[in-house]
Amino acid sequence: MVDIVLKLAGPEVSVTTANTVGDCVLFRVFSPTDALITVRDANTAVIGSMTQPAGFVEIMEKRKTDTVEANTTIKCTPVAYK
């Protein structure tokens, strides 16, 4: 089994309202509680959404100008693959 190595590409930010997470493309999401996460394009149209269970970590992809928001505070960190 090969582990994926992530390179940190910016500081972790707390996200609730629309945030580009440092204009990143890949980002790590941690949710301390169940969270509905929504990604929107630059025109605020919904690209997609998902519920992330409490305590889980996901790696997500978006365009630089897309925003991320959630119904509760989540932690997002820009990353890249090493």
Side-chain angles (χ1 to χ4, degrees):
M1 177 179 195
V2 175
D3 290 325
I4 296 173
V5 177
L6 294 177
K7 177 182 176 184
L8 298 179
E12 179 179 78
V13 293
S14 295
V15 173
T16 306
T17 58
N19 191 312
T20 63
V21 189
D23 297 333
C24 69
V25 174
L26 289 175
F27 60 104
R28 175 189 181 271
V29 180
F30 170 74
S31 177
T33 61
D34 289 354
L36 176 62
I37 299 168
T38 302
V39 176
R40 296 179 185 268
D41 67 17
N43 297 316
T44 70
V46 174
I47 294 170
S49 63
M50 70 175 198
T51 298
Q52 182 168 322
F56 277 71
V57 172
E58 296 288 347
I59 303 299
M60 298 179 70
E61 181 179 16
K62 65 175 193 58
R63 290 182 293 262
K64 288 182 177 189
T65 56
D66 294 344
T67 60
V68 179
E69 61 189 57
N71 66 337
T72 187
T73 302
I74 58 175
K75 302 290 189 173
C76 297
T77 307
V79 296
Y81 290 112
K82 181 177 178 188

